[in-house]
Amino acid sequence: MTLASAQPYDVMVFVGRFRFFHNGHLAVMRRALRLGRHLIVLVGSCRQARSLRNPLNFDEVRATILDAFEPAERERLTIVPLIDRYNDIEWLADVQAAVHEVVGRLHPAGGPEPRLCLIGHGKDQSSYYLKMFPQWASEPVPNHESLSATPMREDYLADAEAGLAKWAAHLPANVVDFLRSFARTEAYRNLAEEAAFIADYKRKWAVAPYPPTFVTTDAVLVQSGHILLVERRNNPGKGLLALPGGFVDQHERIRDAMIRELREETRLKVPSGFLEGSIKAVQVFDYPYRSARGRTISHAFLIVLTGDRAGLPKVRGGDDARRAFWLPIGELEPEQMFEDHWHIIRTMLPYASRD
């Protein structure tokens, strides 16, 4: 039996976040390598700051995956980063472009059309993407040992040694070794500190009759190619860059909360009426997992100040902000941004040029 006849597909595609890469992921990939001659692994949630949900960066995830395979198997793997998007069409285009680029290298034009297959486990509503690629075959797989990376991360960030002792049997040996080493880094200590903060934060709401939903605001304030940002003073996200914003008080309107938080965190002296008159767009960001604190729905306001003012308004940090400053928009780095604020900025900025 030849390789082509034994493997019905030329290229398999597997999408996930792989934080942490566990035996369930490994089982899916081994099945994919039995079904196809090559496997493209698309690693989601790349190019963002470390967080409780995504504690490892792309290079670390890629290394933990590759080190779990033998050299001959690694030659059949291509691992590609994906960024998160709130627009499904853009995300689908990213996936298609990434796969197309790899397939183009593996199968030059002029030959037979390569046979592609998307493989994955539909664990919950976050797996809806499995039905969004009708041009490819689909291979559903069961959940190996009912494994989920979420409790692994939670236990590990609460206590690295205890967490690894609990989950080591469900992780490839190289992943256990990596996580032991990672636990000695400053990055781990920062994440563990934030995990403790979030655990305490959620305990305070444990007596509520139902899980709370928080309402916040964010100000996307731009002028002359610059955006107003703050550096967070405290957890969550201590030291990360963020949009000025915060929680809506019980007795105020959302727009008023946005202007109040903007002033408290940046000491901006622009009159309220001018700020309100400069609002170009308002959008709600309600992705269920956008904040580690729990269900947090943010109303983002795009404010475009005209360039005829006397330079950029002076700002300084206040309240929860260690500092406030204007940053050229071209210098934005998603790895430095808090939660989904980079995605909020990317979503809102196109409205700045609309009438």
Side-chain angles (χ1 to χ4, degrees):
M1 181 178 291
T2 66
L3 181 66
S5 61
Q7 296 171 297
Y9 302 106
D10 296 298
V11 178
M12 303 294 293
V13 180
F14 186 26
V15 183
R17 288 187 301 116
F18 311 109
R19 295 166 175 93
F20 303 126
F21 181 67
H22 55 61
N23 289 346
H25 300 133
L26 183 60
V28 173
M29 291 188 190
R30 292 207 181 283
R31 176 164 177 76
L33 290 173
R34 289 194 297 270
L35 291 171
R37 291 190 284 179
H38 198 88
L39 169 61
I40 302 173
V41 180
L42 301 175
V43 179
S45 298
C46 292
R47 293 216 68 197
Q48 53 183 261
R50 296 186 193 273
S51 66
L52 304 188
R53 196 161 186 261
N54 296 296
L56 306 182
N57 61 35
F58 170 72
D59 289 337
E60 292 160 345
V61 173
R62 183 176 185 274
T64 59
I65 294 174
L66 288 177
D67 288 348
F69 291 89
E70 297 297 327
E73 295 174 311
R74 294 175 201 167
E75 293 180 1
R76 299 169 58 201
L77 292 172
T78 299
I79 304 177
V80 181
L82 281 179
I83 63 172
D84 289 343
R85 293 187 184 271
Y86 282 153
N87 184 309
D88 283 345
I89 299 300
E90 291 181 346
W91 184 83
L92 288 169
D94 287 347
V95 172
Q96 292 169 351
V99 171
H100 179 75
E101 194 276 331
V102 176
V103 171
R105 286 191 278 110
L106 295 172
H107 299 271
E113 189 72 18
R115 299 156 298 171
L116 274 65
C117 178
L118 181 68
I119 190 169
H121 165 62
K123 63 177 183 177
D124 54 32
Q125 65 271 20
S126 67
S127 304
Y128 69 96
Y129 70 88
L130 291 171
K131 300 179 181 179
M132 298 175 72
F133 298 92
Q135 72 272 37
W136 302 335
S138 178
E139 179 72 18
V141 292
N143 187 349
H144 180 78
E145 298 180 355
S146 300
L147 291 179
S148 170
T150 299
M152 296 179 185
R153 290 193 304 270
E154 292 174 348
D155 291 340
Y156 173 75
L157 293 175
D159 184 323
E161 281 304 313
L164 289 176
K166 178 177 179 180
W167 293 104
H170 302 287
L171 295 165
N174 69 289
V175 176
V176 175
D177 291 341
F178 170 83
L179 292 177
R180 283 207 175 97
S181 176
F182 184 73
R184 296 191 290 269
T185 66
E186 182 180 2
Y188 173 84
R189 290 191 291 272
N190 292 339
L191 288 166
E193 179 183 308
E194 182 160 322
F197 171 86
I198 292 295
D200 182 64
Y201 187 91
K202 290 183 175 180
R203 273 194 295 270
K204 294 175 181 177
W205 289 95
V207 296
Y210 47 83
T213 295
F214 305 104
V215 179
T216 63
T217 67
D218 287 298
V220 185
L221 180 60
V222 296
Q223 179 178 330
S224 303
H226 289 68
I227 187 166
L228 182 57
L229 298 176
V230 299
E231 179 184 346
R232 291 182 63 83
R233 186 189 303 275
N234 304 306
N235 275 318
K238 182 169 67 175
L240 295 178
L241 306 185
L243 295 166
F247 291 92
V248 178
D249 287 343
Q250 290 291 312
H251 303 291
E252 68 180 341
R253 298 175 63 188
I254 292 174
R255 181 172 299 198
D256 295 337
M258 180 272 296
I259 292 178
R260 172 183 57 77
E261 287 286 350
L262 175 60
R263 291 192 182 285
E264 288 177 357
E265 293 194 343
T266 70
R267 302 293 191 249
L268 184 71
K269 300 299 184 183
V270 177
S272 296
F274 193 87
L275 291 173
E276 291 194 23
S278 301
I279 293 174
K280 288 277 192 175
V282 183
Q283 187 158 331
V284 175
F285 292 85
D286 59 354
Y287 179 61
Y289 305 107
R290 60 177 301 272
S291 177
R293 291 166 290 188
R295 188 78 162 100
T296 305
I297 300 173
S298 183
H299 297 251
F301 291 75
L302 174 67
I303 302 173
V304 181
L305 300 183
T306 58
D308 57 1
R309 301 179 61 83
L312 297 171
K314 292 183 179 180
V315 294
R316 60 184 176 88
D319 194 28
D320 296 329
R322 179 179 295 161
R323 64 186 176 111
F325 62 100
W326 293 94
L327 181 74
I329 293 172
E331 296 180 15
L332 281 167
E333 293 289 342
E335 293 89 348
Q336 299 176 2
M337 298 298 297
F338 176 61
E339 291 186 343
D340 62 345
H341 287 202
W342 185 69
H343 299 290
I344 292 176
I345 293 168
R346 289 183 68 257
T347 301
M348 300 296 285
L349 281 183
Y351 294 97
S353 58
R354 299 182 185 179
D355 295 329

